[in-house]
Amino acid sequence: MKPCILLIEDDRDMRELVSGHLEHSGFDVQSADDGIKGQALALQYSPDLILLDLMLPKVDGLTLCQRLRRDERTAAIPILMLTALGGTKDKVSGFNSGADDYLTKPFDLEELQVRVKALLRRSERAPVGTTSNHHEILSYGPLTLVPERFEAIWFDRPVRLTHLEFELLHCLLQRHGQTVAPSLILKEVWGYEPDDDIETIRVHVRHLRTKLEPDPRKPRFIKTVYGAGYCLELPTGAQLEGLQDVLAQARQEREQKDQESRASA
Amino acid sequence: MKPCILLIEDDRDMRELVSGHLEHSGFDVQSADDGIKGQALALQYSPDLILLDLMLPKVDGLTLCQRLRRDERTAAIPILMLTALGGTKDKVSGFNSGADDYLTKPFDLEELQVRVKALLRRSERAPVGTTSNHHEILSYGPLTLVPERFEAIWFDRPVRLTHLEFELLHCLLQRHGQTVAPSLILKEVWGYEPDDDIETIRVHVRHLRTKLEPDPRKPRFIKTVYGAGYCLELPTGAQLEGLQDVLAQARQEREQKDQESRASA
DNA sequence: TTCCGTTTTTCAAGGCATTTTCAAGTGGGC
DNA sequence: GCCCACTTGAAAATGCCTTGAAAAACGGAA
């Protein structure tokens, strides 16, 4: 999971510059443009780190820093102050308000980035509970997903999946029985939502089918809902009877074919 | 108890200036004037914080920093770099070597003091002591690691390993069956987490494979998980049957090759 | 100190797995 | 029957991993 950074800064250009650069470096950045909103977002997201400008509307940075330190819910979050005030006095009062680091404008984005990393490295606190955990085992019916290895356990047999195949299956499994729209898949698996890339989804669905379906031509589990998306239908309970054999047989046939094609090659 | 600070700095005036000021502020300061002594004192005192100059005789600061980070006895100690090199590149490489803060000479003693306090403040909050003991014998399946000799017992035969090979294998063995991400390996074996050093991991994995795998071209034990990391898969119980012979044979072949190449050289 | 063998890091070239893209064919829904 | 969405097959592009070799750093001995 990307580290979450809260940027509290009133100057819009600066905000976009910094958040752009950090997002590009693999951080999840939330922004606030005044002290009040900043405090609210800090409580809402409990970010892994806070970048705090000192000259803020509503509540100034030093005050906000002290408040964050007093509230136990935010007390442990590293704070990096980011300000035009470069005097020693300013820095001293910044650190005395509870800051962990202090960077003077104008600063170098590279330096900001490494300082952010250094702070995250040291704090490294146990996650307070991000719920949608992509690293936990997810299981339903005959399907179990093991994020650790990008692997699916399918009717008691491990199936190796590629990164995207795994994410796609994960996305469908979380909504098994529901039809999942392409746009939603794109947002969740690929991280963006354009209009045209539905093409790639199709290809990956096909890959999944060849790996999981007994007969990829006639999908039993990963179904197409015409004009709407794809839907994962997994059998449970009594429906599972007999399927095991069908699967085993199909697997055998496929392995035979594989061997044949290898032999001819 | 006064917090103990280790100052590693070759310039005598600077040393006395800094240590005088810090002692006056209530710290217990130990000094070293080159990298070797610095490392020795770090182990001897295990200080609460290290002030590290970069331009040092014997061992330069960056190297020393990396060493301190990968020795578990000093890995958790906050390091503040103190140097005349103020370029962004220098700072980036400083932080990438594992520094927690970076101050450019000439600096203000007040600022140094508050930064020191900020680091101590944070490291107190941080959880102390991951108990994973690198000095105990660790064993699973056909593999046993003997830390005191940097040696692996692999199917009843000792295999000499270098320091890093040992640490790497140790890291994987502790998580056998799981895929270990490069970033985690870097953090655990090297002590820092830059972006690009994945290269060296690969080379060391290769070294391990040539020492352990029957056929390094087709890894049976140290597997790569494309785009995710490496995974140590060790056989147990019944799977061990027959493997012994395969290994022995492979070993013989390799020894033959070695002899041949020596003979030709 | 200087030299030499070992360990570790770096570099460039090549290979392979994955992912994307393209074009032609199939089949459902109106 | 027609259109459009979906499927199929295969090729192109991308990115990760391996290989081989050389440079750099390290540690110990002369």
Side-chain angles (χ1 to χ4, degrees):
Chain A
M1 201 50 156
K2 293 182 186 176
C4 175
I5 295 178
L6 174 58
L7 171 62
I8 309 177
E9 158 74 62
D10 61 332
D11 181 74
R12 194 179 146 188
D13 292 341
M14 179 65 77
R15 219 165 47 226
E16 291 181 352
L17 185 68
V18 170
S19 73
H21 186 261
L22 289 177
E23 278 169 356
H24 188 264
S25 309
F27 296 100
D28 179 11
V29 181
Q30 302 292 334
S31 301
D33 61 5
D34 70 44
I36 298 287
K37 289 179 197 159
Q39 188 171 13
L41 289 185
L43 288 170
Q44 184 179 340
Y45 290 110
S46 56
D48 300 299
L49 183 139
I50 295 175
L51 295 177
L52 183 59
D53 185 23
L54 283 197
M55 314 237 267
L56 287 174
K58 307 280 174 69
V59 176
D60 76 284
L62 285 182
T63 308
L64 177 55
C65 184
Q66 292 165 11
R67 283 195 199 168
L68 290 168
R69 282 288 175 256
R70 276 199 294 265
D71 187 330
E72 63 171 23
R73 292 168 292 180
T74 54
I77 301 175
I79 295 176
L80 196 166
M81 284 187 177
L82 219 53
T83 165
L85 304 172
T88 298
K89 283 278 172 56
D90 301 309
K91 293 183 185 175
V92 169
S93 60
F95 280 105
N96 283 341
S97 299
D100 291 287
D101 202 346
Y102 192 105
L103 208 45
T104 306
K105 297 179 190 174
F107 51 82
D108 187 293
L109 286 173
E110 287 288 318
E111 180 172 356
L112 173 64
Q113 188 184 330
V114 290
R115 284 190 182 270
V116 162
K117 282 187 185 171
L119 281 176
L120 290 175
R121 193 196 302 152
R122 179 145 297 280
S123 67
E124 193 84 339
R125 69 211 170 93
V128 190
T130 44
T131 44
S132 95
N133 199 340
H134 278 240
H135 298 292
E136 267 174 25
I137 287 179
L138 182 60
S139 184
Y140 185 88
L143 178 63
T144 300
L145 291 183
V146 187
E148 192 81 339
R149 304 164 170 244
F150 295 114
E151 209 179 70
I153 314 284
W154 181 236
F155 288 94
D156 301 331
R157 290 243 198 147
V159 178
R160 299 216 73 184
L161 301 176
T162 72
H163 189 80
L164 280 180
E165 285 164 10
F166 184 90
E167 293 295 338
L168 174 56
L169 188 53
H170 189 271
C171 176
L172 292 177
L173 179 56
Q174 279 189 320
R175 301 166 177 76
H176 62 85
Q178 301 174 38
T179 299
V180 188
S183 64
L184 183 58
I185 297 179
L186 277 176
K187 206 187 310 176
E188 187 152 320
V189 178
W190 274 264
Y192 52 86
E193 38 187 334
D195 315 301
D196 56 356
D197 272 22
I198 301 178
E199 195 62 24
T200 57
I201 295 182
R202 296 202 183 108
V203 179
H204 285 283
V205 167
R206 169 160 45 131
H207 289 160
L208 278 182
R209 294 216 256 236
T210 60
K211 289 187 178 181
L212 302 182
E213 295 278 1
D215 180 2
R217 305 301 180 97
K218 296 178 181 175
R220 301 175 72 151
F221 307 109
I222 305 174
K223 300 205 170 166
T224 303
V225 182
Y226 196 95
Y230 293 92
C231 174
L232 186 63
E233 291 184 0
L234 295 175
T236 56
Q239 304 170 340
L240 281 173
E241 301 300 325
L243 266 178
Q244 191 99 23
D245 303 330
V246 178
L247 264 289
Q249 192 183 332
R251 243 192 297 250
Q252 276 192 8
E253 286 173 12
R254 200 160 331 143
E255 281 165 11
Q256 271 193 13
K257 282 186 189 170
D258 281 4
Q259 285 189 2
E260 284 167 16
S261 59
R262 271 180 215 151
S264 65
Chain B
M1 193 60 162
K2 293 181 187 175
C4 175
I5 295 178
L6 173 59
L7 170 63
I8 309 176
E9 159 75 64
D10 61 332
D11 182 75
R12 198 179 140 185
D13 292 342
M14 179 65 78
R15 217 164 50 226
E16 292 182 350
L17 185 69
V18 170
S19 73
H21 186 261
L22 288 178
E23 278 170 355
H24 187 263
S25 310
F27 295 101
D28 178 10
V29 182
Q30 301 292 334
S31 302
D33 61 5
D34 70 43
I36 297 286
K37 290 179 199 163
Q39 188 171 14
L41 289 185
L43 287 170
Q44 185 177 341
Y45 291 110
S46 53
D48 300 298
L49 183 140
I50 294 174
L51 295 178
L52 183 59
D53 185 21
L54 281 198
M55 314 239 267
L56 287 173
K58 306 283 172 69
V59 176
D60 75 283
L62 285 181
T63 308
L64 179 54
C65 184
Q66 291 169 11
R67 284 196 199 168
L68 290 169
R69 279 289 176 255
R70 61 189 185 215
D71 186 329
E72 63 173 64
R73 292 167 292 180
T74 53
I77 302 175
I79 294 177
L80 196 164
M81 284 187 176
L82 218 53
T83 166
L85 304 172
T88 297
K89 283 276 172 57
D90 301 308
K91 293 183 183 177
V92 169
S93 61
F95 280 105
N96 281 342
S97 297
D100 291 290
D101 201 348
Y102 192 106
L103 208 45
T104 306
K105 297 177 187 176
F107 50 82
D108 188 293
L109 286 172
E110 287 289 318
E111 178 171 358
L112 173 63
Q113 187 184 328
V114 289
R115 283 188 183 272
V116 163
K117 283 186 186 170
L119 280 177
L120 290 174
R121 195 196 304 151
R122 174 143 301 276
S123 68
E124 274 174 22
R125 257 197 301 262
V128 185
T130 47
T131 50
S132 87
N133 198 338
H134 282 238
H135 297 294
E136 270 172 23
I137 287 181
L138 182 60
S139 183
Y140 186 88
L143 178 62
T144 300
L145 290 182
V146 187
E148 59 181 15
R149 300 162 158 264
F150 293 111
E151 207 179 70
I153 314 286
W154 181 236
F155 287 94
D156 301 331
R157 290 241 198 149
V159 177
R160 289 212 59 190
L161 300 176
T162 71
H163 188 80
L164 280 179
E165 284 164 10
F166 184 89
E167 293 295 338
L168 174 55
L169 188 54
H170 189 271
C171 176
L172 292 177
L173 179 56
Q174 279 189 319
R175 302 167 176 77
H176 64 85
Q178 299 176 39
T179 299
V180 188
S183 64
L184 183 59
I185 297 179
L186 278 176
K187 207 186 310 176
E188 186 153 319
V189 178
W190 275 264
Y192 50 89
E193 40 185 335
D195 311 302
D196 55 358
D197 273 22
I198 299 178
E199 196 63 24
T200 59
I201 294 183
R202 296 202 184 110
V203 179
H204 285 284
V205 166
R206 172 162 40 134
H207 290 161
L208 279 181
R209 294 216 256 234
T210 60
K211 289 186 178 181
L212 302 181
E213 296 277 1
D215 180 1
R217 304 302 180 96
K218 296 179 181 176
R220 301 175 70 151
F221 308 109
I222 305 175
K223 301 204 170 164
T224 96
V225 183
Y226 194 97
Y230 292 92
C231 175
L232 185 62
E233 291 185 358
L234 295 175
T236 56
Q239 304 171 341
L240 281 172
E241 302 300 325
L243 267 178
Q244 192 101 22
D245 303 331
V246 177
L247 264 288
Q249 191 184 332
R251 242 191 299 249
Q252 277 191 7
E253 286 173 12
R254 200 161 330 143
E255 281 165 11
Q256 272 192 13
K257 282 185 191 170
D258 281 4
Q259 286 189 2
E260 284 166 16
S261 60
R262 271 179 215 150
S264 66

